[in-house]
Structure formats: structure tokens, C-alpha cells
Amino acid sequence: RIALQFSQSENSEYTNYAFKNKNCYLVFGGHYNEDCYHGQYTYATKDCVDCDKVEHGELAYECSSCSNIYNCDYCSNCHTCSDCAFGFDLVNCRNCFLCAGLRNVEYHILNKPYTSENYAQEVQRIKKAYSVPELLDQLEKLRLTIPNVAFIQKNCENCLGSYLQNCKNCYFCSTMTDGEDCIYMMRANAVKNCVDCDNTGYDPSELLYECIGNSGNNNCNFCFGCWHNADLEYCELVFNSHHCF
């Protein structure tokens, strides 16, 4: 059996379920990353460390469930943000520190506006006064004071589930991007007409049933760890093939 399943990668020997990575170490379920380590389910990221489910991120540390972020630390559920730290549920924000639930703002601390000059000074003061665990505890207390949506979704239509982005007609799904007409899915990207699958992506897949660890497959059922195939039934660790049973 394959000890580590990765393909078309460069200088990324210690990765698993990984595809087209470069200079990556201990990255799992990640694809198209560069100069990253200690990552899980990351996609198209660069210079990121200790991140989980981050897509199109650069210079990120300890971030989870984020997309299109730049130079962000300790952020969760943040999208299209830059130069933010200790943030939760931020969208299109810049230079925000210890903030939660904000949209289209910049230079905020604890959800209060600051001038650009005072912002940098106050951030440095807070960082010197408190440790990282203490700052995370402050963020959690702030998060509990703002409204929280029942389902965490972005650009979704007719969907039921959380951590969904750019999805349509997806029910009982979680942690999915670019999905359409799916049900009972978890951790999936670029999927269409799929049911009961886990860890699917990041290359587009369609017409999958009861599959896990698949990528770039079409019309496959009951398959595990199969990449870039078509018309498979009950297969395991099959690559670039079609019509196999």
C-alpha cells in the first residue's frame, strides 16, 4: 500500500493526500500550495503555517475556514481580508485586530474604529500586554456579544449546512466550496451531483456516490483514494483510469 499519497509535487515528500504542492512539509489533504507547512485541507495557499481549510491565502498563521486572505493571524471564518489578526467572521476587512462580525471596515480594534496612526500604536501596546491565549480569550468573549448566524455560508443559494461557499442546491453538507446539487457531503470542493461523499476535491468531480478521498473523478461509486478517473465501481487507489470494477 502507498505510504504517502501525493502526486505532481516538488520538494514535498512529507505530504499526504496532496496534489501539485511545492516546498511543503506536513501538509495533508492540500493541493496547489507553495512554501507551506503544518496545513490541512488548504488550497492554493502560499507561505502559510498551521492553517486548516484555508483557500487562496498568503502569509497566514493559525487561520481556519478562511478564503482570500493576506497577512492574517489567528483568524476564523474570515473572507477577503488583509492585515488582520485575532478575527472572527470578518468580510472584506483590512487592519482589524480583535474584531468579530464586521463587514467592509478598516482600522478597528475590539470592533471600535481607530485612526491609522493610533491603530498601529494600540496594537503594539495590546500585544505586549497580553499573551496569545489571553488575546484568544478576549476574542471569544467579544464573539459571544455579537449576533451569530445559524449557518455559516457565503454566496450560497438554496443550501442547508455550514461552512459552505459558492454552493447551490446543497443539503446537509458541511465544509464545501463550489458545490451544486449535492446531499450529505463533507469536506468537498468543485463537486456536482454527488451524494454521501467525504474529502472530495480539489479538481472537479461529478456523479459520485459513497466515495472518500477522491479528486477529479466522474461517475464513480464506492471508491477510496482514487484520482482522475471515470466510471469506477468499488475501487481503491486507482489513478488515471476508466471503466474499472
Side-chain angles (χ1 to χ4, degrees), residues 5-245:
Q5 185 173 335
F6 64 89
S7 177
Q8 299 186 36
S9 299
E10 179 183 345
N11 191 31
S12 304
E13 287 76 11
Y14 293 97
T15 59
N16 201 14
Y17 293 106
F19 183 71
K20 282 194 175 180
N21 294 305
K22 182 180 180 181
N23 302 328
C24 293
Y25 177 72
L26 294 182
V27 170
F28 304 99
H31 307 257
Y32 301 97
N33 303 292
E34 184 176 352
D35 298 323
C36 299
Y37 65 93
H38 298 170
Q40 178 174 259
Y41 304 121
T42 56
Y43 174 73
T45 63
K46 187 176 182 181
D47 298 311
C48 294
V49 178
D50 290 347
C51 290
D52 183 13
K53 196 63 176 67
V54 173
E55 301 181 4
H56 300 286
E58 186 174 355
L59 293 174
Y61 177 68
E62 284 280 359
C63 293
S64 64
S65 300
C66 297
S67 65
N68 300 304
I69 59 173
Y70 177 82
N71 192 31
C72 293
D73 301 332
Y74 301 101
C75 289
S76 177
N77 301 335
C78 297
H79 305 280
T80 319
C81 295
S82 63
D83 302 302
C84 295
F86 299 97
F88 174 82
D89 189 25
L90 305 178
V91 178
N92 195 27
C93 294
R94 296 177 55 200
N95 295 290
C96 291
F97 188 84
L98 279 176
C99 292
L102 298 182
R103 302 288 186 271
N104 308 313
V105 301
E106 62 179 351
Y107 298 113
H108 275 59
I109 300 175
L110 289 170
N111 284 19
K112 297 179 180 180
Y114 280 73
T115 65
S116 58
E117 295 81 8
N118 293 337
Y119 173 84
Q121 295 177 359
E122 183 65 11
V123 167
Q124 291 301 318
R125 185 194 69 79
I126 295 175
K127 285 184 175 180
K128 291 180 179 179
Y130 299 97
S131 65
V132 169
E134 290 173 333
L135 292 173
L136 291 172
D137 184 61
Q138 290 188 46
L139 177 62
E140 178 64 14
K141 292 178 180 178
L142 174 65
R143 187 186 70 82
L144 295 176
T145 64
I146 65 171
N148 282 257
V149 295
F151 298 108
I152 300 173
Q153 299 180 0
K154 182 184 179 185
N155 301 332
C156 293
E157 178 183 348
N158 194 29
C159 295
L160 179 62
S162 272
Y163 300 101
L164 305 180
Q165 185 173 343
N166 305 329
C167 294
K168 181 180 179 181
N169 302 328
C170 295
Y171 301 97
F172 303 103
C173 297
S174 175
T175 317
M176 187 162 70
T177 303
D178 299 324
E180 185 175 353
D181 299 324
C182 297
I183 187 170
Y184 303 127
M185 300 284 292
M186 187 172 183
R187 287 187 292 268
N189 283 67
V191 290
K192 189 175 182 180
N193 297 311
C194 297
V195 177
D196 288 342
C197 296
D198 189 5
N199 286 286
T200 305
Y202 285 81
D203 291 333
S205 294
E206 187 172 358
L207 295 172
L208 305 185
Y209 176 63
E210 286 283 359
C211 292
I212 183 171
N214 282 223
S215 180
N217 287 344
N218 182 60
N219 191 32
C220 297
N221 302 319
F222 310 104
C223 293
F224 167 73
C226 298
W227 294 356
H228 307 112
N229 306 284
D231 304 304
L232 304 186
E233 296 272 348
Y234 299 98
C235 290
E236 183 173 343
L237 299 175
V238 175
F239 307 95
N240 303 302
S241 304
H242 61 89
H243 294 92
C244 294
F245 181 82

